[in-house]
Amino acid sequence: MSFPASAHGMLDAMEVPSHSRQLLLQLNTQRTKGFLCDVIIVVQNALFRAHKNILAASSAYLKSLVVHDNLLNLDHEMVSPGIFRLILDFIYTGRLAECEPGGEQSLGAVLAAASYLQIPGLVALCKKKLKRSGKYCHLRGGYAPYKLGRGLRAATPVIQACYSGTPRPVDLPPVEPAAPLNTQCGELYASAAQGAPLHPHGLCPPERHCSPPCGLDLSKKSPTGPSAQLLPTDRLLPGEPREPSLPPRHDSPPVSAGLLAGHPAAYKDSPPGGEPGGHPHAPDPFRSTPPCTEPPLPRADGRELMYRWMKHEPLGPYLDEGEAEKELEREEKAESPPAAPQPRYPSVESNDLEPDNSTSEETGSSEGPSPGDALDRYCNHLGYEPESLGDNLYVCIPCGKGFPSSEQLNAHVESHNEEELYHKAAAEQAVPFLDKGGPGLGDILRPYRCSSCDKSYKDPATLRQHEKTHWLTRPYPCTICGKKFTQRGTMTRHMRSHLGLKPFACDACGMRFTRQYRLTEHMRIHSGEKPYECQVCGGKFAQQRNLISHMKMHAAGPDGKAKLDFPDSVYAMARLTADQLGLKQEKAAELLSHTSHFLSDPKAMESLYPLAKFTAEHLGLSQDKAAEVLAQAPHLHAEAARTIERYSPP
DNA sequence: CTGGGGAAGGGGCCC
DNA sequence: AGGGCCCCTTCCCCA
């Protein structure tokens, strides 16, 4: 399909002046309703819903996070819930609600947070406002080190210096806008107070100016059903929100390390380009780069973008702070007509960043970027992600692996050392095995043994992970309810259940799940597949766990007590099997008791593999796994042989 | 009312 | 870090 040249010309001229404004309004409306929101931002005990695309188009820092996570946890020492609300409003509207009273302090906090989040337009706007109020000259020296991309740990004292005698911005009470804010009810507070009546739709009552009385009842189970993807509204209980200035509820760090991955604080000691503990593939927002003075992105073609990426120059739709400031100044000079009044959304100034400006949009960009251009630049998307390119310049000499930063290389080298230590320790441990008649195959396969419980593992990392189960204090607390976990993954999974995040959807019925495995299990309902069969009655089950429950029914007598009378040898085997497989002895015995047909066939015991096959079949393991398990327990073979001897037909 | 099955939520833990 | 599996438990439905 092709258009005549004239038609192309016509298309070029066909521009709806209010398009960008309408688009933004729609997006903001969607945000307030939670519609298509695909990310949750946790700031202290406040939750905000938003759209990844919008965040990524507005903030370099948030972009680096949303690429990898649906749940972002911001350091509340860097940005308080109240300030983040203002910033989120700005992102979705291009307007900054009036900060008051003590506006400069709040504005300073917004500036600090905008720097932290790398939103140059907002940084420039705050500076401009501070300048107008006569504060910025005073502050300039203080804010100057606030170069974009600095970790705020370094920046915070600067702010303190700026506002000597006043609380740090992070200690300020939440900013309550003078006029009702328009939106903001995408935010949900995990309040300590509960029990008050529900508020419909989970939105803040208008009379509260959307200050966040919405509590999150964490005592309830996660919702079920297709409607509950994000914080279901029926779980929201109003209650007074905790003041953002209050200390965190738990003694533990308020934001988990895992959720903070990629946080600037984690980079504070890193050289440019290092991403320790963060998102290794995320564009490094802290790489020192000269301010981008390139023409607006739409004019840059793919090759130029690639070239700039290769040169570590800024590519994206983000304006450098200085550039954004110039943008604002150009805007002021443009003398664009004032924005239409929006009573629900007090404008900071008549020439605030304006998402739509019909005059300049119509005149095109040849006479300098218009506010519309500015928005275009913010909304422009790259055709590729930098993470697709790798430059692993730091190479580990022993193993030849490459890493993008010295930090990662160092971490790798440390792991080398630990690994070698473990190997050494394992080699030393092997000596007693020899004393006992030589190490079993299992000792070779799983040389890393726990000193507390004698369980053994294939690799040192798994052993370390296991050893945490013996610790008195579990190292990973939930930042919402305080429950503690031995593994970070378990904690983040638990957090998902708090937040109702269910990324795995059934194509057939739309039901959503928190885990892939659950979806797989669920899909058997639709397929009719019932792979788990009872060896006693032939009953089939879609879920293994239901087979296990069912087997208990078989095992229980009329009085509820176990009715199966297992031979001693079966119990002995069961004990060993239970030990090896981590099952309860009762269950292992139960499973083994259903194998009389096997046990009565001595030929089947002639080699290890048939036994493995039997074990695999009856314990739901892969045959290889079963073989490995059995290999670790040569005494099991002897026991099995004795059992066979005893029960073999004469 | 009760027991059994189906389905699902959540935690533990290994890989 | 995330996937996968196991276990315990709960809820609902039905005979």
Side-chain angles (χ1 to χ4, degrees), chain A residues 335-395:
Chain A
E335 292 183 356
S336 56
Q342 294 193 351
R344 293 180 63 209
Y345 219 98
S347 169
V348 176
E349 292 172 48
S350 61
N351 48 3
D352 279 339
L353 268 183
E354 176 51 54
D356 177 46
N357 184 321
S358 55
T359 17
S360 22
E361 277 178 6
E362 282 162 7
T363 56
S365 59
S366 58
E367 294 170 21
S370 66
D373 282 330
L375 184 71
D376 289 344
R377 292 166 70 169
Y378 275 84
C379 295
N380 192 34
H381 290 276
L382 295 174
Y384 65 93
E385 285 294 326
E387 48 263 45
S388 63
L389 300 168
D391 50 351
N392 297 330
L393 301 175
Y394 298 87
V395 178

Side-chain angles (χ1 to χ4, degrees), chain A residues 40-49 71 73 81-82 184-195 202 204 210-220 231-232 235-250 254 478-482 494-495 497-500:
Chain A
I40 290 179
I41 307 103
V42 181
V43 187
Q44 198 173 8
N45 47 12
L47 309 180
F48 300 85
R49 289 182 288 183
L71 172 64
N73 214 328
Q184 315 359 321
C185 298
E187 74 210 77
L188 307 163
Y189 276 65
S191 168
Q194 292 179 2
C204 310
C210 290
S211 284
C214 309
L216 171 63
D217 183 359
L218 303 175
S219 64
K220 293 187 179 175
L231 276 172
R235 294 165 63 214
L236 300 172
L237 292 175
E240 280 308 311
R242 291 159 52 83
E243 291 293 324
S245 58
L246 288 177
R249 197 182 316 180
H250 311 298
C478 168
T479 54
I480 293 179
C481 71
H494 163 87
M495 290 281 282
S497 68
H498 273 317
L499 301 169

Side-chain angles (χ1 to χ4, degrees), chain A residues 397-462:
Chain A
I397 293 170
C399 72
K401 277 185 188 170
F403 299 89
S405 72
S406 60
E407 258 62 30
Q408 285 172 296
L409 173 61
N410 288 341
H412 166 79
V413 170
E414 278 176 24
S415 75
H416 253 318
N417 293 338
E418 283 183 46
E419 204 170 312
E420 281 149 16
L421 281 174
Y422 267 95
H423 278 298
K424 203 174 167 185
E428 284 164 4
Q429 276 193 347
V431 176
F433 294 153
L434 290 170
D435 291 345
K436 284 188 275 182
L441 182 55
D443 296 322
I444 294 166
L445 289 173
R446 302 166 75 91
Y448 303 101
R449 181 161 290 188
C450 173
S451 54
S452 305
C453 71
D454 262 11
K455 278 191 180 176
S456 56
Y457 300 90
K458 283 179 181 172
D459 62 288
T462 308

Side-chain angles (χ1 to χ4, degrees), chain A residues 31-288:
Chain A
R31 172 174 71 107
T32 62
K33 292 175 179 170
F35 183 63
L36 295 179
C37 286
D38 51 4
V39 63
I40 290 179
I41 307 103
V42 181
V43 187
Q44 198 173 8
N45 47 12
L47 309 180
F48 300 85
R49 289 182 288 183
H51 303 94
K52 285 185 172 185
N53 273 348
I54 306 301
L55 300 184
S58 308
S59 155
Y61 175 54
L62 292 176
K63 183 190 176 192
S64 72
L65 298 184
V66 298
V67 166
H68 302 273
D69 277 315
N70 299 325
L71 172 64
L72 313 182
N73 214 328
L74 300 183
D75 188 344
H76 72 279
E77 290 189 19
M78 301 294 104
V79 49
S80 69
I83 294 299
F84 186 72
R85 190 184 60 204
L86 293 175
I87 290 175
L88 199 55
D89 289 345
F90 171 82
I91 287 173
Y92 273 83
T93 63
R95 291 169 178 275
L96 181 63
E98 197 71 63
C99 296
E100 62 62 58
E104 290 80 24
Q105 292 171 9
S106 298
L107 204 54
V110 173
L111 173 53
S115 295
Y116 166 63
L117 298 171
Q118 298 178 71
I119 308 173
L122 184 54
V123 169
L125 182 63
C126 292
K127 282 186 176 180
K128 191 181 73 174
K129 279 218 67 175
L130 285 167
K131 273 183 197 169
R132 292 202 174 169
S133 63
K135 298 282 178 183
Y136 188 69
C137 288
H138 164 60
L139 297 169
R140 179 142 203 135
Y143 281 120
Y146 239 110
K147 210 54 195 170
L148 285 184
R150 277 271 169 120
L152 263 278
R153 299 247 180 259
T156 302
V158 177
I159 300 291
Q160 283 178 291
C162 294
Y163 296 109
S164 55
T166 62
R168 289 190 308 155
V170 295
D171 293 333
L172 293 175
V175 176
E176 286 292 337
L181 290 176
N182 60 341
T183 71
Q184 315 359 321
C185 298
E187 74 210 77
L188 307 163
Y189 276 65
S191 168
Q194 292 179 2
L198 298 175
H199 188 273
H201 313 305
L203 301 181
C204 310
E207 66 273 16
R208 300 296 306 271
H209 297 188
C210 290
S211 284
C214 309
L216 171 63
D217 183 359
L218 303 175
S219 64
K220 293 187 179 175
K221 285 173 62 172
S222 280
T224 58
S227 61
Q229 298 181 28
L230 294 175
L231 276 172
T233 55
D234 63 346
R235 294 165 63 214
L236 300 172
L237 292 175
E240 280 308 311
R242 291 159 52 83
E243 291 293 324
S245 58
L246 288 177
R249 197 182 316 180
H250 311 298
D251 296 333
S252 49
V255 180
S256 80
L259 292 167
L260 266 179
H263 189 281
Y267 295 67
K268 60 176 179 164
D269 295 319
S270 308
E275 303 107 346
H279 303 290
H281 303 297
D284 180 5
F286 307 106
R287 183 169 276 157
S288 37

Side-chain angles (χ1 to χ4, degrees), chain A residues 455-475:
Chain A
K455 278 191 180 176
S456 56
Y457 300 90
K458 283 179 181 172
D459 62 288
T462 308
L463 174 60
R464 280 198 298 276
Q465 195 176 47
H466 162 79
E467 281 175 336
K468 288 179 187 170
T469 65
H470 296 301
W471 291 6
L472 290 177
T473 307
R474 296 179 170 209

Side-chain angles (χ1 to χ4, degrees), chain A residues 280-317:
Chain A
H281 303 297
D284 180 5
F286 307 106
R287 183 169 276 157
S288 37
T289 50
C292 173
T293 53
E294 297 289 327
L297 244 169
R299 263 61 95 191
D301 64 18
R303 286 173 58 192
E304 186 188 349
L305 290 173
M306 185 66 75
Y307 174 76
R308 283 156 63 180
W309 159 248
M310 295 299 282
K311 291 192 69 178
H312 291 176
E313 286 178 4
L315 305 156

Side-chain angles (χ1 to χ4, degrees), chain A residues 507-625:
Chain A
D507 289 336
C509 69
M511 191 159 184
R512 305 186 72 94
F513 299 88
T514 54
R515 311 179 196 179
Q516 172 68 52
Y517 181 65
R518 295 287 190 241
L519 175 58
T520 307
E521 208 174 47
H522 166 84
M523 291 308 286
R524 295 196 192 115
I525 297 170
H526 298 299
S527 69
E529 187 192 2
K530 293 187 173 181
Y532 303 102
E533 185 174 351
C534 172
Q535 298 297 312
V536 176
C537 68
K540 293 184 174 178
F541 301 85
Q543 288 188 5
Q544 190 187 25
R545 40 192 170 159
N546 286 336
L547 170 60
I548 292 168
S549 303
H550 169 85
M551 297 304 282
K552 282 178 185 162
M553 182 269 294
H554 276 310
D559 54 355
K561 292 179 184 172
K563 72 179 178 190
L564 293 175
D565 185 21
F566 302 126
D568 290 345
S569 57
V570 169
Y571 263 113
M573 281 181 71
R575 192 180 66 246
L576 295 164
T577 309
D579 284 350
Q580 294 298 323
L581 301 184
L583 303 173
K584 288 196 168 179
Q585 187 171 332
E586 206 48 49
K587 187 188 168 198
E590 186 182 305
L591 288 165
L592 288 169
S593 74
H594 301 140
T595 62
S596 55
H597 60 286
F598 178 87
L599 293 175
S600 64
D601 177 10
K603 285 187 180 177
M605 292 298 289
E606 282 175 5
S607 68
L608 174 65
Y609 229 67
L611 182 58
K613 186 164 185 293
F614 133 72
T615 308
E617 281 173 5
H618 290 276
L619 301 185
L621 303 171
S622 74
Q623 195 164 320
D624 284 342
K625 166 89 179 173

